[in-house]
Amino acid sequence: MVVDYLGAIQIVRELKAQLEQQLGVELEYAASAIPPGTDLLDAGAIKHVIQGAGFEVTALLDEPTAANAVLQISDGAIVDVGGGTTGISILKDGKVVYVADEATGGTHFSLVIAGAYQMSFSEADCFKRDPAHHQELLPVLRRSLIRLPRSLIAMLWAMRSRSCTW
């Protein structure tokens, strides 16, 4: 769904108002995470939407750095399966040192399931979320899932070839 700039501000304002009413407090501050590699123009637009909705922006971080603020991984990887892509971030000494996106995500998984089981996209999306189906779905999603470790391996080799020390 494409939302215009003013429309995005209005949506965030409405969500803010709903939350304030439910919580019984005024929400003043907000932080946001943006996809890695997002250019400054996109990041600025996100910041302006948040400010336009009435928040003071306290942080605007890339998603891997934001995730690591919670997970506290010193050396390792964060794998973020999103709707359209799966982001893989390598961390060294608590800092993101390499990021890549694989064009396989939850939407792709739902489409594969819908085709395999001859069901609608929304039915497939619900089906994949039920843990009772996870074992059954592994063979169906095998090709899609294989791409993710290959991306991680390729990323690790690329880092080693650049003389990156771990």
Side-chain angles (χ1 to χ4, degrees):
M1 174 168 97
V2 177
V3 179
D4 65 87
Y5 184 69
L6 294 176
I9 292 172
Q10 186 58 38
I11 289 168
V12 177
R13 275 186 189 153
E14 290 171 8
L15 290 172
K16 180 180 184 283
Q18 284 177 347
L19 285 170
E20 287 175 336
Q21 183 179 6
Q22 289 174 354
L23 297 171
V25 297
E26 182 183 352
L27 300 174
E28 299 176 44
Y29 305 100
S32 182
I34 57 175
T38 301
D39 65 28
L40 292 175
L41 183 61
D42 288 340
I46 292 167
K47 181 179 178 181
H48 292 306
V49 167
I50 295 168
Q51 289 172 328
F55 288 108
E56 180 180 327
V57 178
T58 59
L60 193 59
L61 303 169
D62 62 275
E63 291 168 347
T65 302
N68 199 39
V70 174
L71 300 172
Q72 302 287 311
I73 295 172
S74 178
D75 298 307
I78 295 175
V79 179
D80 175 14
V81 180
T85 64
T86 295
I88 303 168
S89 306
I90 305 295
L91 295 108
K92 174 70 177 153
D93 297 324
K95 303 262 190 251
V96 177
V97 295
Y98 194 82
V99 176
D101 265 342
E102 170 61 46
T104 299
T107 299
H108 179 82
F109 296 155
S110 296
L111 289 169
V112 169
I113 294 165
Y117 287 90
Q118 300 299 302
M119 59 176 63
S120 72
F121 177 85
S122 59
E123 290 171 320
D125 198 53
C126 290
F127 191 81
K128 78 175 181 196
R129 295 171 192 273
D130 184 344
H133 300 168
H134 289 178
Q135 283 298 112
E136 173 187 349
L137 289 173
L138 284 175
V140 174
L141 296 172
R142 185 174 186 274
R143 284 190 176 163
S144 298
L145 294 169
I146 285 173
R147 293 177 65 172
L148 299 179
R150 285 185 182 160
S151 293
L152 181 56
I153 291 166
M155 185 186 325
L156 293 172
W157 277 108
M159 289 180 67
R160 289 179 66 89
S161 68
R162 291 190 317 211
S163 301
C164 182
T165 57
W166 290 53

